[in-house]
Amino acid sequence: AKNDVTLKAKLNTNNGMAKNSSSNSANIGGGNTDTGISTSNHRNLRSNQPSLKIDMEFPTKKVIPFEKGADKYSGVVTMLKESLYSQSNEAVVEEFIEFVGIDDAGDDLLIELTPEGFSNVPRYMEDISLKPMLEFGEYNRGVII
């Protein structure tokens, strides 16, 4: 557990979703022999394939929101533009944001995007600049989008 955070991934058994009967854990990046469902990045994603949902349990923390228009919020907009949306202007990037906040310990910057904003996140790492995220000084551990 890095930084005292343990991630527990479980297959969701609701609505006919797959279930791993032996351990209830997802096998990310490989095959799941109990369900016969591959979670490989190269699997065939046709509509007749079963879907897979991963539930993650995190420790509960209070989140302090960034006020829209405040310096910290504007800094997040700029950071997202430079990191993920370099071809968009800041007004468009701001429309992609539903929520920005930081946990009460100042560890993680939490960013919720609109569906449109999330679908416009670049698909390839070479189209993402991590430098603005790493240099953004408002968090201690990471950015969660």
Side-chain angles (χ1 to χ4, degrees), residues 57-71:
E57 298 175 11
F58 292 94
T60 302
K61 292 185 175 186
K62 292 185 180 185
V63 177
I64 302 162
F66 286 6
E67 297 283 331
K68 203 170 196 174
D71 289 343

Side-chain angles (χ1 to χ4, degrees), residues 79-80 107-111 133 136 139 141-145:
M79 181 263 298
L80 284 175
D107 291 329
D108 297 315
L109 180 65
L110 306 164
I111 303 169
M133 288 185 193
F136 190 71
Y139 67 92
R141 182 172 47 200
V143 177
I144 300 172
I145 298 176

Side-chain angles (χ1 to χ4, degrees), residues 9-10 21 43 57 63-64 67 74 78-79 84 102-104 116 126 132 143 145:
K10 296 188 298 185
S21 60
R43 75 172 185 226
E57 298 175 11
V63 177
I64 302 162
E67 297 283 331
S74 297
T78 301
M79 181 263 298
L84 304 176
I102 193 159
D103 68 63
D104 58 352
E116 182 182 7
E126 60 264 15
V143 177
I145 298 176

Side-chain angles (χ1 to χ4, degrees), residues 5-12 24-26 28 53-60 144-145:
V5 174
T6 303
L7 301 179
K8 300 175 190 172
K10 296 188 298 185
L11 292 175
N12 183 317
N24 284 336
S25 64
I28 307 302
K53 179 178 180 181
I54 299 173
D55 292 331
M56 300 183 86
E57 298 175 11
F58 292 94
T60 302
I144 300 172
I145 298 176

Side-chain angles (χ1 to χ4, degrees), residues 65-109:
F66 286 6
E67 297 283 331
K68 203 170 196 174
D71 289 343
K72 289 181 181 182
Y73 188 92
S74 297
V76 169
V77 172
T78 301
M79 181 263 298
L80 284 175
K81 180 195 179 319
E82 293 172 358
S83 296
L84 304 176
Y85 306 112
S86 61
Q87 303 301 313
S88 300
N89 65 47
E90 288 191 7
V92 170
V93 174
E94 193 163 353
E95 290 177 14
F96 289 162
I97 299 172
E98 286 284 338
F99 175 84
V100 176
I102 193 159
D103 68 63
D104 58 352
D107 291 329
D108 297 315
L109 180 65

Side-chain angles (χ1 to χ4, degrees), residues 10-21 25-46 48-54:
K10 296 188 298 185
L11 292 175
N12 183 317
T13 59
N14 297 330
N15 299 324
M17 297 292 182
K19 180 181 180 190
N20 176 333
S21 60
S25 64
N27 204 0
I28 307 302
N32 184 328
T33 57
D34 292 338
T35 62
I37 297 172
S38 170
T39 55
S40 167
N41 290 335
H42 303 291
R43 75 172 185 226
N44 186 346
L45 295 177
R46 285 184 270 167
N48 63 350
Q49 295 292 323
S51 61
L52 179 68
K53 179 178 180 181
I54 299 173

